[in-house]
Amino acid sequence: MQSQTLSDANKQAYMRGKRVLEINPRHPIIKELRERVISDPEDESVKETAKLVYQTSLMKSGFVLSDPKEFANSIYSSVKTSLKISSDATVDEEIEADEAEEVETAKEANEEDAAVNEDADTEPSIAIVSVFKSETV
């Protein structure tokens, strides 16, 4: 009985080491990727999308990616494409403390103007100081 248990444990360890990536050819993403590869085998966006799908599958299956920064950059690139943002768009510089005070002063002035024009049907304007730091997306 003990040899059966040991044998089962060995089989389970072997099976865990032999993972297989299964591709469902009926999945809409795979079907679309296939069509795009057929129409243009050298399309870089299709290659990047296929790589992103593969890396996502690895993560979903519990694997640790060898280069998580590359994966994150691929995600950001995909989001930029989806939002139709230029790939060479840069992050605006962060507003310095003095400039932030000026923006705050302008915001207070706008609030005072809004208080004077309470009967107006327009929404007050809002000044956005900083949403992201330059290192983040």
Side-chain angles (χ1 to χ4, degrees):
M1 185 66 154
Q2 187 175 6
S3 65
Q4 180 67 25
T5 306
L6 185 57
S7 176
D8 289 343
N10 286 339
K11 284 181 185 177
Q12 288 177 352
Y14 175 77
M15 293 304 286
R16 271 182 280 175
K18 296 287 186 180
R19 297 201 179 182
V20 175
L21 173 64
E22 294 182 8
I23 298 173
N24 180 352
R26 295 175 306 279
H27 194 284
I29 293 173
I30 301 302
K31 288 168 54 175
E32 183 64 27
L33 281 173
R34 183 179 184 277
E35 291 300 317
R36 290 186 184 204
V37 166
I38 289 170
S39 68
D40 185 5
E42 299 303 316
D43 185 354
E44 287 299 316
S45 68
V46 173
K47 291 178 183 179
E48 283 297 315
T49 302
K51 186 175 180 181
L52 190 56
V53 169
Y54 171 71
Q55 290 173 326
T56 303
S57 299
L58 288 176
M59 284 185 55
K60 186 175 179 184
S61 297
F63 288 95
V64 176
L65 297 178
S66 59
D67 190 357
K69 287 183 180 182
E70 177 188 353
F71 177 72
N73 288 335
S74 295
I75 294 288
Y76 294 142
S77 176
S78 178
V79 170
K80 280 183 176 180
T81 301
S82 165
L83 296 174
K84 296 181 174 86
I85 297 172
S86 171
S87 61
D88 58 348
T90 59
V91 177
D92 293 338
E93 289 187 29
E94 195 170 328
I95 298 175
E96 296 296 324
D98 293 338
E99 293 177 45
E101 287 177 18
E102 291 175 15
V103 170
E104 194 63 36
T105 303
K107 181 180 174 184
E108 289 170 3
N110 285 340
E111 289 173 356
E112 289 173 9
D113 290 343
V116 171
N117 298 323
E118 287 179 4
D119 56 321
D121 290 338
T122 60
E123 294 183 21
S125 61
I126 299 172
I128 300 175
V129 178
S130 176
V131 177
F132 300 110
K133 292 186 177 184
S134 59
E135 301 90 41
T136 60
V137 174

